[in-house]
Amino acid sequence: MSSRESRAVVHGTAQRRRRSKERPPNLSDLRIVLLGKSVSENSRVGNFILGRAAFDSEAPPDVVERVGGRLKDRHLMIINSPQLLQTYISDHQITHTVRECVFLSDPGPHVIVLLLRHDQCSAEDQECVEKVLLSFSERVYQYTMVLSTQEPNETNDILQRIIQKCANRHFSLQRSSSPDDLLQMFEDIVKMNDGHHLECAEAAQYFTVKQQTTGRLSEGVKLNLVVCGSDGMLKSSVSEKILQQTDRRSDVEHHGRLMNLVELPALTRLSEEEVMRQTLSCVSLCDPGVHVFLLIVPDAPLTDEDKEEMEEIQRIFSSRINKHIMILIMQDSEHRTAELSEETQSVIERFGGRHHFFGPKTQVSTLMENIEQMLEENRGGFFSTETLLEAQMKKLLQLEEMKKKIHSLETHLLSQGNEQKNYGNIYIF
């Protein structure tokens, strides 16, 4: 990663750090959001722009990645979201991924690039594109262009309509194409918008839902949850179920509660630098801190990936996470085993002892009651960015202390070796 100027990965919700609208634009910094349907296609275009293998075509499709570089005299920051234009993406995933893009392009993107193919552009694709773009801002089209990576055999009317909405800005990437030509189109968009970036106020706000909860905590207190684990599909499934069921509840004995839900990507799939950026971003997005971490584990023998992910979570967040974590044991059916396996029981004990079974017909209300009980036990406490940084600082201090001890031992052994060597050189007459 030494060849990359900067890199960040986020999977989950994000809140843009607010900056003054009157701040003069940085004309040397160009932030580009790359939206597509294919990891390999997006990686190809991102690498073409930066002129190097900056994006990995084997990267997980649900990871939004930011990579920096230079093109001519411009510093570029490319935010790559390789699956957001897939038609199967849920509204929940769109909302979260758009917020990731906004967060990583802070204070906002200058250009949004749509990677579209002539042979893969249907009415359903058009509907998806419009939904995604309007999630950024109502003014998004004046910052957007279309890029295609193939010459059309025949005109695609739907693609042409999308291009027209983007003020007819279209770039066809061919073998003879130059990154400089594409940069000029970026510059034209920036110039047309007087050097200003897209304001994404709505997308930058926390994703909140109306949650009906017990009245045990004060009304209006926002609940910050982080869903973590090695299986991305399980995490998304749990997140959507929580949001859907809490949004639908209407028990008059309960009152409204704002909830912020963040999904943490599998840390074992990220580099050390990306792990640190991601975990810090995750916690910082839960202002003032994370109330509950929901760690997803299957009701089956744990895989090596499951175990490695838990080790990484414990390593990064330290044992201080234990009072804020609950193990969610996923079940394929409502059949609940009489006893937990020794392995699963060990995991639960290691992370503080709290667990909850989560199956297809599980009522989220029971989970929320357990979470409320956790909040009461913790007296409303949370895991903040300060807590995370303190944990990291403690590890660094322990590492420095260990280095000092090793150095002291090496010095001692070296001095002993020199004494023995000098003794061996003494001559007795």
Side-chain angles (χ1 to χ4, degrees), residues 257-268:
R257 167 71 69 84
L258 294 178
M259 182 168 61
N260 179 43
L261 193 67
V262 179
E263 290 180 23
L264 184 70
L267 301 181
T268 55

Side-chain angles (χ1 to χ4, degrees), residues 37-233:
K37 302 169 69 173
S38 162
V39 174
S40 59
E41 199 90 337
N42 275 48
S43 298
R44 176 189 169 192
V45 172
N47 294 341
F48 168 78
I49 297 172
L50 295 178
R52 57 189 172 88
F55 293 98
D56 182 6
S57 61
E58 301 297 324
D62 60 342
V63 170
V64 178
E65 192 173 20
R66 180 182 67 194
V67 176
R70 295 195 71 84
L71 179 56
K72 299 181 74 172
D73 295 330
R74 269 289 201 177
H75 179 263
L76 305 181
M77 193 66 70
I78 298 181
I79 296 87
N80 182 26
S81 179
Q83 72 162 3
L84 190 54
L85 299 185
Q86 288 283 6
T87 55
Y88 60 76
I89 299 298
S90 68
D91 290 350
H92 166 66
Q93 288 173 295
I94 288 175
T95 300
H96 283 281
T97 307
V98 167
R99 286 176 51 198
E100 294 164 19
C101 294
V102 172
F103 173 74
L104 291 176
S105 61
D106 180 36
H110 294 102
V111 180
I112 294 179
V113 180
L114 304 175
L115 268 61
L116 299 172
R117 295 171 61 96
H118 290 267
D119 60 346
Q120 296 179 352
C121 203
S122 63
E124 190 178 14
D125 289 306
Q126 181 182 7
E127 182 181 350
C128 176
V129 166
E130 291 176 353
K131 182 186 294 185
V132 168
L133 290 181
L134 290 177
S135 296
F136 282 90
S137 168
E138 292 183 354
R139 301 178 59 204
V140 69
Y141 283 102
Q142 67 189 69
Y143 296 84
T144 305
M145 60 168 287
V146 174
L147 188 150
S148 57
T149 57
Q150 61 170 178
E151 284 286 358
N153 295 324
E154 58 184 32
T155 302
N156 184 306
D157 293 337
I158 293 176
L159 181 59
Q160 289 302 319
R161 285 199 290 270
I162 296 175
I163 293 172
Q164 288 172 4
K165 295 194 73 169
C166 299
N168 291 312
R169 290 184 291 265
H170 175 226
F171 187 90
S172 182
L173 184 59
Q174 305 299 321
R175 290 184 179 180
S176 58
S177 299
S178 164
D180 293 349
D181 298 331
L182 185 53
L183 176 63
Q184 185 57 56
M185 183 168 284
F186 294 158
E187 298 284 10
D188 291 343
I189 295 174
V190 173
K191 184 177 180 180
M192 187 193 77
N193 292 302
D194 297 322
H196 296 294
H197 60 266
L198 176 63
E199 291 285 347
C200 306
E202 292 301 320
Q205 297 299 317
Y206 280 112
F207 182 74
T208 59
V209 296
K210 194 80 170 181
Q211 179 202 8
Q212 306 298 324
T213 65
T214 62
R216 286 178 285 181
L217 292 179
S218 60
E219 183 175 356
V221 174
K222 182 175 61 182
L223 178 64
N224 292 321
L225 304 179
V226 170
V227 182
C228 49
S230 61
D231 192 319
M233 291 186 65

Side-chain angles (χ1 to χ4, degrees), residues 237-338:
S237 174
V238 169
S239 298
E240 291 186 26
K241 189 167 184 178
I242 291 174
L243 293 175
Q244 289 169 2
Q245 288 201 20
T246 52
D247 193 40
R248 284 199 300 265
R249 291 189 61 198
S250 57
D251 188 340
V252 296
E253 295 182 1
H254 296 71
H255 58 268
R257 167 71 69 84
L258 294 178
M259 182 168 61
N260 179 43
L261 193 67
V262 179
E263 290 180 23
L264 184 70
L267 301 181
T268 55
R269 301 175 189 174
L270 306 177
S271 69
E272 180 66 16
E273 180 184 353
E274 290 165 346
V275 165
M276 294 310 302
R277 287 182 179 176
Q278 171 58 22
T279 51
L280 183 59
S281 294
C282 170
V283 178
S284 65
L285 298 175
C286 294
D287 183 51
V290 182
H291 293 107
V292 180
F293 292 83
L294 298 174
L295 176 56
I296 313 298
V297 300
D299 187 18
L302 299 178
T303 65
D304 289 340
E305 188 175 16
D306 291 329
K307 297 173 185 177
E308 290 171 6
E309 184 68 17
M310 293 176 196
E311 290 284 345
E312 190 70 353
I313 289 173
Q314 191 85 76
R315 181 181 74 86
I316 295 297
F317 292 100
S318 79
S319 60
R320 299 179 70 173
I321 195 178
N322 289 1
K323 65 186 295 187
H324 303 286
I325 199 165
M326 177 182 290
I327 308 297
L328 279 192
I329 304 172
M330 300 300 294
Q331 296 181 308
D332 294 332
S333 67
E334 287 308 300
H335 173 68
R336 188 173 299 181
T337 53

